[in-house]
Amino acid sequence: MLQDITPLDMKRFIVRTLDLEDTTPEDIGDDQPLFAGGLGLDSIDAFELGIALKKAYGLQLDGEKTSGFAHHFRTPATLAAFVATHRQVSP
């Protein structure tokens, strides 16, 4: 059985994956935007994060399943919920 993924787990994953040197998971709010006006990630960060999520959680990030991609990658909380419902493997 797969364990739930919490927003804190996702923040740790983001900080580690993107090597955010001056940012700790505790610096990021659960509902803080990851992109514009928030953490400030860009499209390259989104691509890198998507690849890492595919590898770590077995996500299938094809067009059909990710029609709301921008919504799911909006905050650590929405991303954690997306991964929890779409993952294929345990971390």
Side-chain angles (χ1 to χ4, degrees), residues 6-34 39 75-77:
T6 67
L8 180 58
D9 295 331
M10 189 53 56
K11 292 185 285 187
R12 289 177 180 144
F13 185 84
I14 292 167
V15 169
R16 183 178 60 246
T17 298
L18 300 178
D19 195 25
L20 301 178
E21 294 177 6
D22 296 328
T23 304
T24 67
E26 293 78 16
D27 294 336
I28 305 169
D30 290 356
D31 295 316
Q32 180 177 350
L34 295 176
L39 192 55
T75 70

Side-chain angles (χ1 to χ4, degrees), residues 34-35 46 49-50 53 61 69-75 78-79 82:
L34 295 176
F35 298 93
L49 190 55
L53 288 168
L61 298 177
F69 181 80
H71 171 75
H72 297 302
F73 279 62
R74 191 171 40 94
T75 70
T78 59
L79 188 53
F82 175 75

Side-chain angles (χ1 to χ4, degrees), residues 37 50 60 80 91:
Q60 300 299 316

Side-chain angles (χ1 to χ4, degrees), residues 36-47:
L39 192 55
L41 302 183
D42 60 22
S43 59
I44 294 172
D45 294 322
F47 179 75

